[in-house]
Amino acid sequence: MVPDEGVRDLSSLTESRYRQGHSSFRYFRPKENPVQVTPAAIRELVPFARTLDVEFPELTPDLVVARLVNRPDLSTLGGGLHGGAIMGLADLAGAVCAALNIGDDDTWTTVESTTYFLRPVHAAAVTARATPTRTGRSLVFVQIDIHTAETHAARTTQILAVHPRRG
């Protein structure tokens, strides 16, 4: 596959994914004023990330790591982390993963999100690891695994629709 003219530099993407011929790489378009996906930018652009106080220690197209500290205002009966907080963490990690795998001018919308709760969370913190399982020109599929230090607590799968910029 040879990139079309005007396609952004693929050097920041993993060589193996490019060689595999992922269709999404043909559709990247340069952005005049690109927004850098950094932990600070996420917190600024996504107020919910500030509300949950999510940290993003790793941000790459192949892996987004997000961390949420269990605190009393996020708990349910018995002090466990509320399922809504877990789903919120998963949704944030999945959205950031999608953002890193689509064209710079494209936007996205979560169209499906399914969470399987495997264990209750009473640990001090949980970590989400979001990986793209398929990226295309109109859809991105992401798997998010939520772990405590001891166990696999939940798995979320998401499908996100990509909306190319018109014009």
Side-chain angles (χ1 to χ4, degrees):
M1 172 188 329
V2 177
D4 300 329
E5 280 190 41
V7 174
R8 79 176 177 187
D9 182 354
L10 296 176
S11 62
S12 65
L13 303 171
T14 61
E15 183 67 27
S16 64
R17 290 186 62 205
Y18 180 69
R19 275 194 311 247
Q20 290 172 5
H22 283 264
S23 62
S24 62
F25 293 144
R26 289 180 286 154
Y27 302 100
F28 283 118
R29 290 179 296 284
K31 187 172 185 176
E32 293 172 14
N33 298 307
V35 174
Q36 297 297 317
V37 180
T38 64
I42 295 166
R43 291 177 70 81
E44 180 182 331
L45 297 170
V46 186
F48 191 59
R50 286 193 312 268
T51 299
L52 289 180
D53 198 23
V54 174
E55 301 168 2
F56 291 90
E58 187 169 347
L59 296 169
T60 68
D62 291 327
L63 176 65
V64 170
V65 177
R67 186 171 183 273
L68 174 66
V69 173
N70 188 357
R71 53 185 206 257
D73 62 320
L74 298 178
S75 67
T76 189
L77 294 173
L81 186 60
H82 192 281
I86 293 170
M87 291 189 301
L89 174 66
D91 190 56
L92 285 166
V96 171
C97 186
L100 292 167
N101 282 282
I102 63 174
D104 285 339
D105 284 339
D106 296 345
T107 59
W108 64 97
T109 304
T110 303
V111 294
E112 183 176 311
S113 184
T114 303
T115 301
Y116 299 96
F117 295 101
L118 306 173
R119 305 268 187 289
V121 174
H122 293 281
V126 290
T127 301
R129 297 176 60 86
T131 55
T133 56
R134 186 176 190 302
T135 57
R137 131 182 97 150
S138 60
L139 294 173
V140 176
F141 296 78
V142 180
Q143 178 173 297
I144 306 104
D145 288 299
I146 311 285
H147 291 268
T148 67
E150 298 83 29
T151 189
H152 190 185
R155 171 170 284 170
T156 298
T157 56
Q158 289 188 334
I159 303 171
L160 301 101
V162 178
H163 307 285
R165 184 185 97 185
R166 298 183 186 246

